[in-house]
Amino acid sequence: IAKGQWTAQQASSHLFSVYHSYRPQVSQNLMNLLGSHDTPRFLTECGGNQRLAALGATLLLTWPGSPSIYYGDELGMEGGADPMNRKGMQWELASPSNTILSHYKKLISLRNSTPALRTGDPEPLVLKSDSVMGFSRTEGSSRCLVFVNRSEKEQVIDVPLRRDWESWTRHRLRDALGSAKVARPGRGLLRLTLAPVSGAVILSS
């Protein structure tokens, strides 16, 4: 996400390779993070691009494991290599107008209210796109689809729906993050319009 060095499908393959390197009960508890006291700040790695930093947060809070937020990343703090990555907390950034902070709060609330996002098993979605990565997560009757669009352009993608998802898709489908448009152009098919550099979490309601 920060560097754009992989296609979406390469990134997906890498994530699932790591996930399947362990037993599911181990992968579900791995400590996931975007940055730490040993790395440059994630926003700095993104070249100061707050939309990319927010997209990284979307993946962090929707991927299996225990999301760990390095202090200040949720506020959009920057800093290069040690010691600049260990600067004191910039409390003045903790304001209602901080869009990165609002995004983190929305993701945390969504994760807390959606069992599939906490403990659901992940499965990759096969998408004909070099820019959009997608996966599903399922925990009992709780299910969601997650999409990450790193492209600077709007992306329209068609997602084949599995037969065992039919009861789930009978209800209204919506993007819980509020940026993607969801349509049903035909039976067994979901069409998403994703804004540039954005993520989507599709839920049934």
Side-chain angles (χ1 to χ4, degrees), residues 58-193:
T58 299
L59 187 56
L60 175 67
L61 270 299
T62 57
W63 186 251
S66 300
S68 306
I69 302 169
Y70 185 48
Y71 79 94
D73 278 358
E74 77 283 8
L75 300 180
M77 283 180 59
E78 290 198 64
D82 192 1
M84 299 308 294
N85 56 349
R86 305 190 190 204
K87 292 186 295 185
M89 189 71 154
Q90 294 178 257
W91 292 109
E92 69 277 9
L93 297 177
S95 70
S97 62
N98 188 321
T99 56
I100 290 185
L101 178 58
S102 297
H103 187 63
Y104 267 92
K105 286 183 174 182
K106 180 182 289 187
L107 287 167
I108 291 170
S109 176
L110 181 60
R111 186 182 178 95
N112 286 340
S113 63
T114 309
L117 286 177
R118 295 196 303 276
T119 57
D121 294 321
E123 289 189 31
L125 297 176
V126 179
L127 307 176
K128 295 179 180 179
S129 172
D130 287 334
S131 303
V132 179
M133 181 181 94
F135 55 91
S136 66
R137 295 193 64 187
T138 305
E139 176 63 43
S141 61
S142 176
R143 175 176 288 122
C144 65
L145 306 179
V146 179
F147 299 90
V148 172
N149 174 26
R150 194 197 181 279
S151 170
E152 291 285 348
K153 297 180 180 180
E154 179 180 271
Q155 300 289 318
V156 179
I157 58 169
D158 287 337
V159 184
L161 297 173
R162 293 177 5 184
R163 287 186 177 179
D164 60 340
W165 292 358
E166 286 185 4
S167 61
W168 181 72
T169 57
R170 287 196 190 105
H171 304 281
R172 175 178 171 265
L173 298 179
R174 62 182 179 87
D175 173 22
L177 297 181
S179 62
K181 297 177 182 178
V182 185
R184 295 290 304 276
R187 184 178 177 84
L189 196 64
L190 182 68
R191 179 166 293 163
L192 264 75
T193 302

